[in-house]
């Protein structure tokens, strides 16, 4: 399932709340964007049509719930990014980010532990 950048913002709000009304989504997104409420409602409807959200009319208002897990979408987006930017080479991507981005000492420790697990055949 392809989720646009704009739809991703909407999904993040719904994932945080698990069940949320359109007004709450609008209230959280409008301060971060220059959109109007119709834009957010259109995005919610698109996500329902795509099967990413369920919509239910409760007490006269639409309530949205995620139909897809955030981890699933993150995995798909990551693969798409990896393929598009690094030709599918995960090690090259990792090298790039370790070299060029700020990583705390604690994150370096966690990364080393993951790499050790991977080397020992325990990771995916």
């Amino acid at each position: 399932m392809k989720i646009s950048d704009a739809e991703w913002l909407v999904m993040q709000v719904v994932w945080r709340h698990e069940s949320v009304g359109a007004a709450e989504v609008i209230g959280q997104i409008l301060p971060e964007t220059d959109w109007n409420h119709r834009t957010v409602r259109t995005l919610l409807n698109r996500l329902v049509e795509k099967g990413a959200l369920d919509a239910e009319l409760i007490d006269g208002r639409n309530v949205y719930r995620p139909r897809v897990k955030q981890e699933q979408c993150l995995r798909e987006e990551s693969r798409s990014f990896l393929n598009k930017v690094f030709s599918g080479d995960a090690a090259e991507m990792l090298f790039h980010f370790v070299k060029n981005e700020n990583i705390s000492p604690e994150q370096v420790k966690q990364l080393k532990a993951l790499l050790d697990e991977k080397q020992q055949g325990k990771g995916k």
Side-chain angles (χ1 to χ4, degrees):
M1 173 182 311
K2 288 286 186 191
I3 295 177
S4 71
D5 291 346
E7 291 167 342
W8 192 263
L9 287 175
V10 172
M11 288 300 296
Q12 287 178 324
V13 173
V14 179
W15 282 320
R16 273 195 306 269
H17 297 280
E18 295 184 21
S19 178
V20 64
E24 290 86 4
V25 175
I26 291 166
Q28 290 186 31
I29 289 182
L30 291 188
E32 299 175 20
T33 66
D34 61 352
W35 304 343
N36 66 44
H37 68 86
R38 287 190 191 110
T39 302
V40 179
R41 289 188 187 278
T42 298
L43 292 167
L44 286 164
N45 288 332
R46 275 193 214 155
L47 288 162
V48 169
E49 289 171 11
K50 288 182 177 185
L53 294 177
D54 274 330
E56 183 179 1
L57 193 61
I58 299 175
D59 296 329
R61 66 184 198 122
N62 280 323
V63 175
Y64 297 91
R65 291 181 184 84
R67 291 189 69 197
V68 293
K69 295 190 181 295
Q70 186 173 11
E71 297 80 24
Q72 175 189 351
C73 290
L74 183 58
R75 201 170 26 254
E76 290 175 20
E77 287 291 321
S78 296
R79 282 190 189 116
S80 174
F81 173 78
L82 179 65
N83 289 331
K84 179 171 53 174
V85 178
F86 293 96
S87 301
D89 190 336
E92 191 62 38
M93 180 185 73
L94 186 58
F95 295 149
H96 170 80
F97 283 113
V98 168
K99 182 178 178 182
N100 296 300
E101 299 300 323
N102 292 327
I103 301 174
S104 72
E106 180 60 31
Q107 290 170 320
V108 169
K109 185 177 175 180
Q110 292 171 344
L111 187 55
K112 284 180 181 180
L114 282 172
L115 292 170
D116 287 343
E117 281 182 22
K118 191 73 154 177
Q119 189 174 30
Q120 295 171 8
K122 296 178 184 174
K124 287 184 179 180

